Amino acid sequence: MKIGYIRVSTEEQNTARQEVLLRELSVDEVFIDKASGKSADRSELRRMMEYVRKGDTVIVESISRFARNTRDLLELVEKLTVKEVEFVSKKEAIDTTTPTGKFMLTVFAAVAELEREYILQRQREGIAIAKQQGKYTGRSPLPLPENFDAVVAQWRRGEISAREAMRRTGLKPNTFYRRVSRKIAAK
C-alpha cells in the first residue's frame, strides 16, 4: 500500500501542491499535519507510523516535510525499516530499498539540517541588527481582558481555580501566568 505524508508548518499554509503530487503517484492513504517540523511529535505522523504495515511504502514530497533534523529523520526511517516499510522522498529521489538510497538519505538529511540552521542563524542575526537599530521591539502584548484584575483577585483568594480563572479571562495557561507575573512585578 502507498501511504502519503504531507506537512505544512501552519494552519494558513496550503497543502495543495503536495496533495497533487501524491494523487499523481496514486497513494492509497494520506496523512496531513499542519504543524512545525521541529518536533517529531505530530499527531498525523504518529497515526501514520502506527498505521503502516509490512510491505507499505511511505511517500513524501521532500525530506523537509517529513523531518527537520538528521536524527529525527534517521529515527523515523529506522522505525519504518523495522516494520519493513519503504520510504520514498520524491524531491530528493531517495528510495530506501537500495543501499545508495539509504546513503543518499543520510547525506540529504545532513544538508537539510545544515540549511535549517543557516536560516535560523540568519534570522537571529537579522533580529539582533534590527533591535540595535530600534526597528524590532517584538510583538506588542494584547490588552488584558477587562475582568482580569477581578478574576485574578478571586483566584488568589482561592474562590476559583486557576483553570476557571483562565476560562473567565479567555487566556491560555502560559499567557495567564505570564500576565499575572507582570502585574506582580509592576507593583
Side-chain angles (χ1 to χ4, degrees):
M1 198 171 177
K2 291 182 182 178
I3 311 297
Y5 178 74
I6 294 172
R7 185 191 62 78
V8 291
S9 297
T10 66
E11 284 290 331
E12 294 78 34
Q13 289 181 323
N14 194 320
T15 59
R17 178 180 55 84
Q18 294 178 65
E19 289 182 63
V20 167
L21 171 69
L22 294 178
R23 245 191 324 270
E24 289 171 356
L25 296 171
S26 303
V27 297
D28 302 299
E29 190 74 35
V30 176
F31 294 83
I32 301 174
D33 266 318
K34 292 189 175 188
S36 172
K38 283 191 264 185
S39 170
D41 186 26
R42 290 171 257 145
S43 61
E44 289 299 295
L45 177 62
R46 271 195 318 273
R47 280 189 57 233
M48 183 203 68
M49 295 299 282
E50 291 169 7
Y51 181 85
V52 293
R53 301 289 180 260
K54 178 179 178 177
D56 288 348
T57 301
V58 170
I59 302 172
V60 297
E61 182 262 340
S62 73
I63 288 173
S64 67
R65 302 295 87 206
F66 193 57
R68 282 293 179 137
N69 62 56
T70 307
R71 187 185 64 221
D72 287 347
L73 176 64
L74 296 177
E75 284 177 9
L76 287 168
V77 171
E78 179 60 28
K79 287 177 183 176
L80 293 173
T81 302
V82 167
K83 290 180 124 185
E84 298 182 46
V85 173
E86 298 172 13
F87 175 77
V88 174
S89 174
K90 293 310 287 182
K91 183 177 183 180
E92 293 86 3
I94 291 175
D95 183 339
T96 60
T97 61
T98 67
T100 304
K102 288 177 184 174
F103 170 74
M104 293 306 294
L105 176 69
T106 305
V107 171
F108 278 118
V111 170
E113 184 174 357
L114 179 64
E115 181 180 353
R116 173 85 176 133
E117 289 300 319
Y118 281 153
I119 289 168
L120 292 173
Q121 181 182 6
R122 288 192 302 268
Q123 182 182 33
R124 284 189 298 269
E125 289 168 354
I127 289 171
I129 291 168
K131 281 182 177 181
Q132 285 175 347
Q133 297 173 348
K135 295 178 182 177
Y136 182 90
T137 56
R139 187 171 131 195
S140 299
L142 296 172
L144 286 171
E146 287 182 26
N147 64 345
F148 184 78
D149 290 332
V151 171
V152 169
Q154 285 182 300
W155 169 63
R156 286 200 173 131
R157 289 191 303 264
E159 296 171 8
I160 61 173
S161 67
R163 178 173 282 174
E164 178 61 17
M166 290 174 223
R167 189 192 66 73
R168 289 183 186 182
T169 58
L171 298 174
K172 294 187 177 177
N174 286 347
T175 305
F176 177 79
Y177 290 117
R178 184 174 56 249
R179 300 303 282 272
V180 168
S181 296
R182 282 187 191 156
K183 279 281 194 185
I184 293 169
K187 289 183 180 180

